[in-house]
Amino acid sequence: MIRKIDDYYVLETKQTTYCLKRLKSGHLQHLYYGKRLEIHSLQDCQQQFTQTYRTTGNTVAYSPQMEASLEDIPLEFSSYGKGDINEPLVQITYPDGSFTNDFLYENATISNQKEPLNSLPASHHADQQLVICLKEKNHPVYLYLYYSIFEDCDVIARSSKIVNQTHQSVYLERLMSSSIDFTQSFNVISFHGGWGNEMNKRVNKITSGKLVLSSFTGTSSSRCNPFFMLSDDDTDENQGNCYGFNLIYSGNHYSSIETTITNRTRVVNGISPICFGFEIQASGCFEAAEEIISFSSQGMNQLSDQFHRFVNQHIINPIYKDRIRPVLINSWEACYFSINEEKLIRLAQRAAEVGIELLVVDDGWFGKRNNDHCSLGDWDVNLEKLPNGLKGLCDQVNQLGLQFGLWIEPEMISVDSKLYRQHPDWVMEIPGREHSEGRNQRILDLINPEVQNYIIEKMSAVFRSCNLAYVKWDMNRIFSDIYSPTLKKQQKMTNHLYVVSLYKIVKELVQRFPHILFEGCSAGGNRFDLGMLCYFPQIWASDNTDAYCRSRIQENYSYGYPLSCFTNHVSAEINHQTGRYSSLQKRFQTAFMGNLGYELDLDALKPAELAIIKEQIQLYKKYRQQLLAGRFDRFSQNEEYRWQITTPEYIFRFTSSKTEDASSLQIEEKII
Ligand code: DGJ
């Protein structure tokens, strides 16, 4: 529930309270975020929050009437120029060149309806929303702060918007989703990595100075996932205070955690302000991404559970809610680019025999795609490899009792492609300069409406060309030589508008093809974030399918993301990424904890191995719906991963050695 009590705003979820106050000056003071407090009256507010602040030493006094400096008051949002000297939420330069911003309270509304974002995806079905409107003291420029509460999940979503009501353009240099000033220091737990090595957990204790968690790849990135946590020293999986933060955004993000010598920690989170700049024209506006925050006083397992329920209920498109995620076989590690109809049908036959439900034809089915040097953009089937076309192949696969799925990479273009020869102006590259390549490919200028239209229509034609049940949407390079021919001199808008355009395209395709199950991918987990999850309910977690590495990767995703979001594949016994052996048992049991798939040449397996796989798939199918909805807890120790999923009827216990080829899966039926 959200309540206004005099000048206080009190936001309550089941187990948490968030509180802020409008000061006489018009600024907003952050008072509290943590374990639920009993606040019913003005007296309760006054008793709870008694701290006062005075201007001291060489700090700046905001005005003769205000006793405290903005440097010392814990604030709900911040901007440079009037005394506050820490990381700001908003930075605008005005036509006279000045960049001091002073936003003061105008009004606030509380409603049961959450305002939708126009340009970006957002959470859905909030219980209530508080919108606070502030006006810049010297310009008719408005800052809106949004707070949405999700009571059952103990989640608060924050975002912000700037509206320019002047008669001229103003220049926005940053608009973050939120800033919160805590009155303590923290351990920061964040997740870093790279290709095939996603989600390494790191803990940094910040006693003073600033830790910035950010990505600059053009995507949310495997280098630093946007999810992070703050905790007290004595917090562990099952006890203690911790906060979680995530962003509904798939591009460059930026989180600054800054602790002052007075033990105050400001957390500012949002779209990266680096190489960012937006001209907001008269009557124009700019929306920040939505940020998700949650608090637990019972350790990180509880915090994860809050995020898991929130993602399943308020992020994932409800059309996928109870849809069974099919067990699939993916052709990539079985065939790489050397696919052909005969091989694929053989794979589908073996797959049908063991109970697999869907065949995914990965890269290599279109143009002249025999390697990664060509053909991206030419989304016409290669009739040498698939002489009966996609429809001919799909019909045969369907006759074998399997659904049919396809890999695509629509944001990309190869220089060696018909599309590049026809439309060199559709590509993100700086005219007249040498381009630095990533996986031998370039990025289409998604900001160009013609390109958006091309992708939507071309993909729609592919999707309609056969009985397609599943699509894997890949994106295999990061950004370089950033330049959108569409934006000309406004290049600092490119990174963000690329993401906005991508959302526009995927939204349209998901709406047009609601029966297709979409899986996100970006060279594995290079775009594993809540933004993509608003459209695609599952994401390929990593190209690394080694069961040892994979346990670590899955465990660390589980801090912020539910098992229903990631897909895990059983691959060859000698792993293609690491060269390490692991038993079928260990590979299966690891992949069991999420959406199960296979990615190996089934035809090369012995009958005894296929028989085991058949049994394993039967086991998975029996429990998968419950598994994906159950409560997930980590009890891992130095030597071993230990996970538990609890559902109303069963307890699943998984253990896997970190160093040896050993694992176990116990399923206990609860006595009800
Ligand atoms: C990267 C993906 O992560 C792989 O699974 C595979 O689809 C390749 N791309 C295909 O090029």
Side-chain angles (χ1 to χ4, degrees):
M1 182 163 178
I2 304 180
R3 277 173 301 150
K4 178 176 187 313
I5 304 175
D6 197 48
D7 285 336
Y8 295 84
Y9 293 91
V10 182
L11 289 69
E12 279 162 349
T13 66
K14 241 177 172 171
Q15 303 192 61
T16 70
T17 297
Y18 188 112
C19 196
L20 58 123
K21 182 185 178 188
R22 168 194 170 184
L23 299 176
K24 285 204 179 62
S25 62
H27 297 98
L28 296 181
Q29 180 177 358
H30 177 76
L31 293 172
Y32 177 81
Y33 181 34
K35 197 171 175 171
R36 174 123 177 195
L37 304 172
E38 286 310 314
I39 297 182
H40 304 288
S41 62
L42 180 58
Q43 205 185 3
D44 292 340
C45 293
Q46 286 162 342
Q47 271 171 6
Q48 280 287 348
F49 311 113
T50 50
Q51 176 96 34
T52 52
Y53 299 89
R54 298 187 66 78
T55 313
T56 51
N58 68 349
T59 56
V60 167
Y62 172 73
S63 70
Q65 293 75 35
M66 191 162 173
E67 300 224 312
S69 165
L70 292 176
E71 183 180 341
D72 296 325
I73 305 172
L75 294 168
E76 196 55 32
F77 76 93
S78 47
S79 51
Y80 278 134
K82 299 300 289 181
D84 178 13
I85 48 160
N86 296 114
E87 190 90 25
L89 177 114
V90 56
Q91 220 177 321
I92 297 174
T93 300
Y94 294 94
D96 64 0
S98 66
F99 52 87
T100 287
N101 285 276
D102 189 17
F103 285 96
L104 301 176
Y105 180 96
E106 279 279 295
N107 56 58
T109 52
I110 297 169
S111 72
N112 294 335
Q113 213 63 34
K114 181 173 183 266
E115 261 186 51
L117 271 74
N118 288 315
S119 58
L120 293 169
S123 55
H124 50 81
H125 296 98
D127 292 309
Q128 274 186 307
Q129 187 178 51
L130 164 68
V131 184
I132 302 181
C133 171
L134 305 119
K135 180 186 165 293
E136 208 288 319
K137 192 167 179 191
N138 300 293
H139 305 89
V141 173
Y142 295 84
L143 169 64
Y144 291 84
L145 301 180
Y146 298 88
Y147 302 78
S148 305
I149 58 162
F150 299 83
E151 293 190 24
D152 282 350
C153 303
D154 288 304
V155 159
I156 297 175
R158 285 193 59 179
S159 64
S160 59
K161 181 165 89 179
I162 286 286
V163 177
N164 175 15
Q165 299 286 16
T166 70
H167 299 298
Q168 299 177 67
S169 294
V170 297
Y171 197 71
L172 182 72
E173 274 152 75
R174 70 158 66 193
L175 180 64
M176 309 304 280
S177 309
S178 80
S179 105
I180 307 180
D181 285 349
F182 294 93
T183 46
Q184 67 164 107
S185 61
F186 291 104
N187 292 314
V188 180
I189 299 135
S190 50
F191 300 92
H192 305 262
W195 177 82
N197 183 23
E198 290 83 348
M199 300 301 279
N200 294 278
K201 182 174 151 206
R202 293 289 179 267
V203 182
N204 283 289
K205 185 169 177 61
I206 315 290
T207 52
S208 56
K210 190 186 289 185
L211 177 72
V212 171
L213 306 170
S214 66
S215 87
F216 202 41
T217 54
T219 58
S220 49
S221 100
S222 51
R223 288 24 175 214
C224 180
N225 192 275
F227 175 74
F228 66 95
M229 297 180 286
L230 304 180
S231 76
D232 290 348
D233 283 339
D234 59 356
T235 300
D236 61 26
E237 295 286 16
N238 297 310
Q239 61 90 36
N241 292 335
C242 48
Y243 297 85
F245 298 77
N246 209 342
L247 211 56
I248 306 183
Y249 193 62
S250 308
N252 293 336
H253 59 90
Y254 180 97
S255 313
S256 151
I257 300 107
E258 181 178 15
T259 301
T260 64
I261 203 69
T262 52
N263 232 21
R264 213 177 77 198
T265 299
R266 172 168 294 174
V267 181
V268 178
N269 201 6
I271 297 169
S272 175
I274 297 171
C275 293
F276 169 95
F278 251 81
E279 184 184 332
I280 311 182
Q281 290 171 352
S283 305
C285 69
F286 183 90
E287 290 175 323
E290 191 169 63
E291 182 204 25
I292 306 306
I293 52 179
S294 190
F295 167 80
S296 153
S297 60
Q298 296 154 53
M300 294 177 204
N301 276 324
Q302 176 60 29
L303 187 70
S304 297
D305 182 57
Q306 290 163 196
F307 275 100
H308 293 179
R309 285 184 285 118
F310 174 77
V311 173
N312 281 329
Q313 291 164 29
H314 302 288
I315 292 290
I316 301 297
N317 185 335
I319 62 169
Y320 301 114
K321 194 160 176 275
D322 296 314
R323 207 182 289 181
I324 290 190
R325 310 287 177 83
V327 178
L328 60 81
I329 173 84
N330 180 298
S331 66
W332 184 239
E333 288 195 19
C335 314
Y336 292 103
F337 291 105
S338 315
I339 52 167
N340 60 47
E341 190 175 290
E342 199 195 320
K343 274 195 203 171
L344 291 168
I345 292 297
R346 219 170 331 120
L347 198 60
Q349 278 165 343
R350 290 291 93 75
E353 283 161 20
V354 295
I356 289 174
E357 298 159 305
L358 185 139
L359 171 83
V360 182
V361 179
D362 208 283
D363 203 347
W365 61 267
F366 54 94
K368 296 193 167 50
R369 186 81 170 163
N370 296 319
N371 53 52
D372 61 14
H373 285 259
C374 70
S375 299
L376 291 171
D378 298 346
W379 299 105
D380 296 310
V381 67
N382 179 324
L383 290 172
E384 281 167 31
K385 292 180 180 179
L386 307 177
N388 296 302
L390 287 176
K391 179 158 183 354
L393 174 63
C394 172
D395 287 349
Q396 292 178 69
V397 170
N398 285 169
Q399 272 161 20
L400 290 168
L402 262 69
Q403 296 173 287
F404 185 69
L406 209 56
W407 174 98
I408 52 171
E409 196 179 2
E411 298 158 68
M412 296 291 148
I413 184 163
S414 308
V415 171
D416 182 6
S417 68
K418 282 193 227 154
L419 188 68
Y420 191 93
R421 288 185 279 277
Q422 278 161 13
H423 295 288
D425 55 322
W426 281 9
V427 185
M428 298 243 281
E429 51 192 25
I430 309 173
R433 300 234 203 126
E434 196 179 327
H435 192 85
S436 297
E437 304 288 359
R439 211 201 187 197
N440 312 300
Q441 62 197 51
R442 298 191 187 177
I443 304 175
L444 281 166
D445 179 15
L446 261 49
I447 299 160
N448 181 343
E450 281 181 40
V451 174
Q452 294 171 12
N453 196 46
Y454 170 79
I455 295 178
I456 291 170
E457 294 311 327
K458 195 70 199 174
M459 288 304 125
S460 294
V462 172
F463 296 174
R464 285 195 192 106
S465 69
C466 62
N467 183 23
L468 197 64
Y470 162 104
V471 162
K472 176 177 171 188
W473 183 299
D474 205 347
M475 197 282 194
N476 278 302
R477 69 159 290 178
I478 62 168
F479 287 54
S480 71
D481 306 276
I482 296 158
Y483 187 90
S484 155
T486 312
L487 293 176
K488 304 201 168 64
K489 294 224 160 104
Q490 307 262 32
Q491 291 304 322
K492 290 208 172 159
M493 306 198 312
T494 303
N495 283 320
H496 176 62
L497 287 185
Y498 180 90
V499 179
V500 171
S501 308
L502 171 67
Y503 290 145
K504 209 168 141 194
I505 294 167
V506 294
K507 183 175 178 195
E508 176 65 27
L509 285 168
V510 169
Q511 266 169 9
R512 280 192 191 182
F513 300 94
H515 62 282
I516 292 181
L517 172 65
F518 285 87
E519 176 164 327
C521 175
S522 180
N526 195 44
R527 202 163 56 187
F528 198 112
D529 60 67
L530 297 182
M532 293 319 291
L533 285 170
C534 285
Y535 303 102
F536 303 161
Q538 56 189 49
I539 298 180
W540 179 224
S542 175
D543 273 358
N544 188 339
T545 51
D546 175 311
Y548 293 79
C549 304
R550 199 59 185 219
S551 308
R552 192 251 311 146
I553 293 170
Q554 291 172 211
E555 166 150 309
N556 289 342
Y557 276 123
S558 82
Y559 280 95
Y561 303 92
L563 300 198
S564 62
C565 287
F566 42 91
T567 44
N568 312 321
H569 292 177
V570 172
S571 59
E573 65 177 11
I574 304 295
N575 186 265
H576 289 196
Q577 291 78 40
T578 61
R580 177 165 30 199
Y581 167 87
S582 51
S583 63
L584 192 48
Q585 169 169 313
K586 185 164 175 122
R587 282 175 280 147
F588 166 71
Q589 290 179 345
T590 308
F592 184 89
M593 306 306 263
N595 292 297
L596 174 67
Y598 287 77
E599 188 160 340
L600 73 171
D601 185 2
L602 293 173
D603 220 28
L605 298 186
K606 299 188 191 88
E609 289 171 309
L610 290 170
I612 295 173
I613 290 182
K614 190 171 178 179
E615 271 175 32
Q616 290 174 335
I617 291 175
Q618 268 167 7
L619 184 81
Y620 178 74
K621 284 182 180 168
K622 183 167 173 201
Y623 298 112
R624 66 179 149 190
Q625 286 300 78
Q626 312 211 22
L627 261 176
L628 296 181
R631 168 163 170 141
F632 181 88
D633 286 287
R634 294 167 299 267
F635 300 100
S636 298
Q637 299 188 339
N638 287 346
E639 302 296 309
E640 203 169 54
Y641 294 104
R642 287 190 189 177
W643 305 338
Q644 179 171 309
I645 298 176
T646 312
T647 75
E649 291 168 49
Y650 298 96
I651 300 176
F652 301 85
R653 290 194 184 88
F654 165 80
T655 64
S656 184
S657 164
K658 293 186 182 176
T659 50
E660 281 165 34
D661 185 36
S663 69
S664 71
L665 177 66
Q666 286 167 13
I667 303 173
E668 185 186 311
E669 195 161 351
K670 283 184 180 170
I671 300 156
I672 304 172

